[in-house]
């Protein structure tokens, strides 16, 4: 029997507490001997990122038997890097130590002080790097580390190479660079494992010359050559990077050459196949495809396919493939959704491996064929999976969950389904989106009523949303609200041309694409055109505010740590994104007119609908000043609004209490504005002045 209730009023077992405390943020898995190690974010411990491992050896486990987990990194240590503020790979297990009688040696960077530590399970972590001297412009530790790469030098010397972000200015001290911003250097540095650099910065050995940004240090198997990528302002890593190869001379990179990439070509993830050949990803063809380089033959494309084999390098250490032998790589590729394949490098032959997953991250393979990977699908929450990889014939079988991000997954009866769509645009192109209709078995909306719909715009803006199961989405859809994820122009996953649609057009193309999707839903009778809302975080907050101020499509909007104006933002934000806007809008001050004209804050006089603002007080990427400018403008105009500032939160909320409050406040806000009464959430008080 089906019960009819107004959309938005359906009772749901998916609570804000379930979103905040029931799930686990899982980090990239690593194979260490017979065990699998990974990171888990613990919301009940302030979002602390702990390093964990399986309690016993991992083989081909049976169905429905998740691994028992042992926490290796004790509280209060938090394995999280602040390089670029987004961080990335923050730990590794040093190869060759897993047979040590005291257990494997773990090295990690601790969030609070950004020092690198060494740890053996059950022992107290010991620092390996010094405390960075106080530099006010750093807004925190002045020496930061990310993307560790264990290497073995001649004589069997083991050390770990890291990307170092240095705010100290070296011998000249803190100063302002030619661009008027604080002088920051980044380089690859060797951190000795004996602890000699813990009090002596001179014991840190620079491997590469300084650049504004560096990533992906790779030592050739014979120890003779070093590869890495770099880029300079105003490029972002998806705009243009350079791939360097240099001889290793006396422990540091000698004079080398740029073998691929430039300011208009993005090169990612170099990986040595042998002492002479280097595999990498390049979007020179318009899509991130595999390329091969050798000193003898130069660079050539391994295969040309209108599929993405890479993605935006927001987090250092992100990988999209794994070399299995000198002629074979296990690759992830696709468009919005990704799949797994075996690539024969010599011939360019790609063999698809069938898996019921649509978003595949880090992959690991053991010699006996045990495959470990991170992945999710429209019916499975993000998880770490195991499977068996057969190479002749090529197939994956015995796929099982090793560790799910949701051990308490709700009944499928309350979970949504997703539908990918392409909405035609007036210029002949399309905008990509994913629809999640209201759904809960046994419940339906009233006859003649269409559901409210929430447009959700992703951050970045260089990024995308994959068609995977999401509990925040189910929080809405199980209550009778529709959700549509908009992969507007500028999103990744659809090639360079689609990504470049946003160049110089931020605040224009993203707004037009989002409106086009909502108009399509209304035209098709899917959504109530009078009850449309929009939400997004960071750059998604910018698009949210721009849609609210520049169009009449939406009845309400919620911005989480959203960008509101650009002139102050470019001065207040962190170094990684401080010149991002050059490509998205235009160079400053030459195009100051666009910076002012595009800013939602410049058009608050055109705003007529309520707004909810959510902000972390320690956010260095989009500082609280951005949300407060909007709050003050809303108050001056008397528009209903609420501003919630979350103590101790950065760019994205990690604490359970913050997630609960933000989730319930947003639902209450939508209910008040869109005309429904959500059950069992506190009423958010809206201000008018």
């Amino acid at each position: 029997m089906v019960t009819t209730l107004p959309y938005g009023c359906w009772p749901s077992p998916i609570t804000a507490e379930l979103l905040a405390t029931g799930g686990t943020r899982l980090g990239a898995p690593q194979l260490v001997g017979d065990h699998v190690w990974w990171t888990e974010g613990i919301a009940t411990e302030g979002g602390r990122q702990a390093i964990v491992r399986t309690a016993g050896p991992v083989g081909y486990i049976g169905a429905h038997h998740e691994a028992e987990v042992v926490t290796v990194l004790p509280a209060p240590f938090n394995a999280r890097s602040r390089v670029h503020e987004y961080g990335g790979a923050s730990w590794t297990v040093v190869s060759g130590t897993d047979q040590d009688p005291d257990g494997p040696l773990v090295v990690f960077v601790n969030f609070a002080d950004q020092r690198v530590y060494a740890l053996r399970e059950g022992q107290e972590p010991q620092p390996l790097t010094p405390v960075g001297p106080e530099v006010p412009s750093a807004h925190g530790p002045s020496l930061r580390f990310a993307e560790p790469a264990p290497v073995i030098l001649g004589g069997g010397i083991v050390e770990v190479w890291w990307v170092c972000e240095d705010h100290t200015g070296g011998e000249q001290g803190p100063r302002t660079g030619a661009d008027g911003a604080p002088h920051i250097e980044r380089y690859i540095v060797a951190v000795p494992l004996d602890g000699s650099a813990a009090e002596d910065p001179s014991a840190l050995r620079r491997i590469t010359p300084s650049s504004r940004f560096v990533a992906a240090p790779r030592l050739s198997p014979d120890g003779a050559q070093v590869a890495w990528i770099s880029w300079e302002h105003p490029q972002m890593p998806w705009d243009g990077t350079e791939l360097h190869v240099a001889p290793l001379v006396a422990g540091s990179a000698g004079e080398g050459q740029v073998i691929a990439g430039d300011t208009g070509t993005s090169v990612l993830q170099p990986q040595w196949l042998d002492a002479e050949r280097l595999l990498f990803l390049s979007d020179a063809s318009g899509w991130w495809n595999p390329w091969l380089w050798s000193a003898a033959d130069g660079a050539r494309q391994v295969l040309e396919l209108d599929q993405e084999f890479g993605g935006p390098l927001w987090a250092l250490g992100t990988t999209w493939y794994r070399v299995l032998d000198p002629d074979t790589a296990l690759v992830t590729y696709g468009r919005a959704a990704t799949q797994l394949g075996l690539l024969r490098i010599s011939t360019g032959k790609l063999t698809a491996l069938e898996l019921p997953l649509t978003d595949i991250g880090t992959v690991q393979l053991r010699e006996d064929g045990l495959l470990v990977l991170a992945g999710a699908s429209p019916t499975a929450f993000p998880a770490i999976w195991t499977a068996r990889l057969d190479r002749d014939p090529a197939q994956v079988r015995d796929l099982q969950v090793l560790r799910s991000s949701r051990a308490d997954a709700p009944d499928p009866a309350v979970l949504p389904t997703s539908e990918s769509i392409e909405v035609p645009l007036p210029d002949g192109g399309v905008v990509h989106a994913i629809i999640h209709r209201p759904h809960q078995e046994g419940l339906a909306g009233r006859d003649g009523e269409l559901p409210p719909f929430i447009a959700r715009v992703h951050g970045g803006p260089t990024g995308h949303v994959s068609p995977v199961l999401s509990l925040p989405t189910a929080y809405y859809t199980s209550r009778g609200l529709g959700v549509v994820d908009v992969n507007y122009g500028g999103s990744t996953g659809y090639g360079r041309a689609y990504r470049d649609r946003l160049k110089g057009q931020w605040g224009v193309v993203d707004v037009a694409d989002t409106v086009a999707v909502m108009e399509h839903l209304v035209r098709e009778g899917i959504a109530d055109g009078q009850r449309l809302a929009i939400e997004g975080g960071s750059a998604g907050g910018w698009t949210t505010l721009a849609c609210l101020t520049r169009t009449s499509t939406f009845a309400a909007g919620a911005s989480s740590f959203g960008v509101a104006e650009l002139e102050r933002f470019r001065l207040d934000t962190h170094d990684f994104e401080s010149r991002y806007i050059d490509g998205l809008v235009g160079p400053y001050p030459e195009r100051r007119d666009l910076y002012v004209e595009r800013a939602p804050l410049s058009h608050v006089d055109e705003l007529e609908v309520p707004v909810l603002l959510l902000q972390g007080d320690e956010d260095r990427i989009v500082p609280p000043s951005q949300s407060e400018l909007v709050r003050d403008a809303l108050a001056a105009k008397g528009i209903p609004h609420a501003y919630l500032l979350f103590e101790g939160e950065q760019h994205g909320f990690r604490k359970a209490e913050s997630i609960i409050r933000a989730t319930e406040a947003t639902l209450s806000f939508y209910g008040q504005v869109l005309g429904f009464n959500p059950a069992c959430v506190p009423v958010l008080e809206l201000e008018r002045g």
Side-chain angles (χ1 to χ4, degrees):
M1 179 174 177
V2 176
T3 301
T4 58
L5 291 171
Y7 288 113
C9 298
W10 300 357
S12 172
I14 302 176
T15 64
E17 288 83 358
L18 190 64
L19 268 66
T21 61
T24 305
R25 183 186 292 109
L26 302 176
Q30 294 188 26
L31 277 164
V32 182
D34 293 331
H35 296 76
V36 180
W37 296 49
W38 64 92
T39 57
E40 294 197 355
I42 306 174
T44 54
E45 295 184 20
R48 180 177 82 90
Q49 190 159 284
I51 301 170
V52 304
R53 65 168 176 83
T54 53
V58 177
Y60 303 106
I61 60 176
H64 312 299
H65 288 82
E66 287 201 21
E68 181 182 348
V69 174
V70 173
T71 300
V72 177
L73 183 64
F77 290 97
N78 181 359
R80 184 177 162 207
S81 171
R82 281 191 61 182
V83 173
H84 299 176
E85 295 297 346
Y86 291 107
S90 60
W91 68 283
T92 192
V93 177
V94 180
S95 61
T97 66
D98 53 315
Q99 302 303 318
D100 191 293
D102 294 326
L105 180 68
V106 184
V107 293
F108 69 95
V109 58
N110 184 48
F111 180 73
D113 57 11
Q114 289 298 286
R115 299 178 77 184
V116 173
Y117 288 78
L119 165 70
R120 293 193 191 277
E121 189 173 347
Q123 300 179 11
E124 185 71 13
Q126 298 299 313
L128 298 181
T129 58
V131 175
E134 183 68 25
V135 177
S137 62
H139 301 281
S142 59
L143 290 176
R144 305 172 184 188
F145 301 86
E147 196 175 2
V151 299
I152 302 177
L153 303 179
I157 298 173
V158 179
E159 60 187 16
V160 180
W161 292 0
W162 295 77
V163 172
C164 178
E165 179 178 285
D166 187 346
H167 296 250
T168 67
E171 294 182 357
Q172 299 182 52
R175 61 191 185 278
T176 300
D179 57 1
H183 178 81
I184 301 172
E185 294 181 342
R186 295 175 180 88
Y187 45 84
I188 308 303
V189 64
V191 176
L193 296 175
D194 61 6
S196 57
E199 303 296 335
D200 180 10
S202 67
L204 297 173
R205 188 181 76 257
R206 292 196 185 196
I207 304 297
T208 67
S210 296
S211 299
R212 196 64 181 232
F213 304 98
V214 297
R218 301 290 189 268
L219 180 65
S220 62
D222 62 357
Q225 299 184 89
V226 182
W228 73 97
I229 65 172
S230 72
W231 65 99
E232 302 289 334
H233 280 322
Q235 276 70 46
M236 300 298 286
W238 41 85
D239 295 326
T241 60
E242 293 183 334
L243 175 55
H244 305 256
V245 171
L248 188 68
V249 179
S252 294
E255 289 296 326
Q257 59 178 320
V258 174
I259 63 166
D262 51 43
T263 57
T265 306
S266 172
V267 173
L268 302 169
Q269 198 188 340
Q271 202 75 43
W272 292 98
L273 297 174
D274 50 39
E276 302 295 333
R277 298 181 304 144
L278 188 68
L279 190 66
F280 61 93
L281 304 174
S282 170
D283 69 353
S285 68
W287 299 78
W288 275 304
N289 278 189
W291 286 62
L292 182 67
W293 172 88
S294 70
D297 300 322
R300 69 170 179 85
Q301 193 165 358
V302 174
L303 85 166
E304 185 171 352
L305 193 64
D306 289 352
Q307 302 276 328
E308 298 283 35
F309 287 73
L313 189 65
W314 283 103
L316 291 176
T318 303
T319 59
W320 295 271
Y321 69 87
R322 183 170 183 82
V323 172
L324 303 185
D325 60 51
D327 195 36
T328 313
L330 190 60
V331 298
T332 59
Y333 66 101
R335 297 199 173 189
T338 53
Q339 61 182 316
L340 199 63
L342 275 176
L343 174 65
R344 182 61 60 88
I345 297 165
S346 58
T347 64
K349 180 182 178 181
L350 179 65
T351 303
L353 298 169
E354 296 298 325
L355 276 175
L357 301 174
T358 53
D359 187 19
I360 299 173
T362 302
V363 294
Q364 300 272 293
L365 187 69
R366 206 164 63 191
E367 290 183 357
D368 63 357
L370 176 71
L371 179 67
V372 179
L373 69 160
S377 79
T379 58
F381 289 106
I384 295 172
W385 306 74
T386 62
R388 182 190 295 272
L389 174 64
D390 295 331
R391 296 175 63 175
D392 188 20
Q395 62 176 334
V396 174
R397 53 194 178 91
D398 301 330
L399 181 70
Q400 305 292 345
V401 173
L402 179 71
R403 179 71 162 173
S404 175
S405 63
R406 300 233 56 114
D408 56 352
D411 189 311
V414 301
L415 298 177
T417 57
S418 61
E419 173 190 352
S420 295
I421 62 170
E422 294 181 354
V423 176
L425 295 171
D427 65 1
V430 299
V431 56
H432 302 272
I434 304 169
I435 302 174
H436 313 274
R437 301 178 192 243
H439 176 260
Q440 186 178 159
E441 288 185 12
L443 292 175
R446 291 175 174 173
D447 289 345
E449 181 186 10
L450 290 174
F453 246 84
I454 301 166
R456 198 161 49 190
V457 285
H458 63 72
T462 308
H464 79 277
V465 179
S466 299
V468 298
L469 190 57
S470 160
L471 202 60
T473 299
Y475 182 81
Y476 288 141
T477 57
S478 63
R479 287 172 166 77
L481 304 175
V483 175
V484 59
D485 288 304
V486 184
N487 282 322
Y488 48 83
S491 300
T492 55
Y494 308 100
R496 177 112 193 188
Y498 192 80
R499 200 163 78 238
D500 283 351
R501 285 186 58 221
L502 203 61
K503 279 192 174 295
Q505 296 296 310
W506 193 34
V508 178
V509 164
D510 49 327
V511 171
D513 284 2
T514 302
V515 169
V517 169
M518 302 313 285
E519 289 178 344
H520 171 81
L521 298 183
V522 173
R523 189 167 54 248
E524 294 295 313
I526 297 171
D528 183 344
Q530 301 303 309
R531 295 195 291 169
L532 303 178
I534 183 171
E535 65 180 39
S538 192
W542 158 277
T543 303
T544 293
L545 295 170
C547 283
L548 295 176
T549 55
R550 304 299 292 273
T551 79
S552 58
T553 302
F554 299 96
S559 169
S560 298
F561 34 88
V563 179
E565 62 79 54
L566 299 178
E567 290 189 282
R568 182 169 174 178
F569 173 75
R570 62 181 290 274
L571 298 176
D572 289 347
T573 194
H574 61 138
D575 184 60
F576 179 63
E577 292 184 87
S578 62
R579 300 291 300 279
Y580 193 8
I581 304 170
D582 285 36
L584 294 173
V585 177
Y588 189 90
E590 295 87 340
R591 294 315 312 266
R592 180 180 181 274
D593 58 322
L594 291 179
Y595 280 57
V596 174
E597 196 277 331
R598 298 272 181 84
L601 192 66
S602 299
H603 300 276
V604 171
D605 285 346
E606 303 168 41
L607 182 60
E608 301 293 343
V609 300
V611 180
L612 172 62
L613 303 166
L614 306 170
Q615 179 71 48
D617 72 343
E618 296 180 2
D619 194 338
R620 281 286 302 132
I621 296 170
V622 180
S625 58
Q626 291 284 304
S627 292
E628 289 162 1
L629 288 168
V630 178
R631 175 203 61 191
D632 294 345
L634 292 166
K637 196 176 180 186
I639 295 175
H641 67 279
Y643 173 56
L644 302 183
L645 185 65
F646 294 90
E647 183 179 356
E649 293 287 10
Q650 297 90 43
H651 199 63
F653 304 149
R654 293 172 178 264
K655 297 180 181 179
E657 60 269 25
S658 302
I659 297 170
I660 292 169
R661 187 181 180 210
T663 301
E664 293 184 339
T666 304
L667 183 61
S668 173
F669 171 72
Y670 287 148
Q672 292 179 58
V673 179
L674 302 182
F676 60 87
N677 295 311
C680 303
V681 297
V683 175
L684 175 68
E685 183 177 346
L686 300 181
E687 300 181 12
R688 291 184 174 272

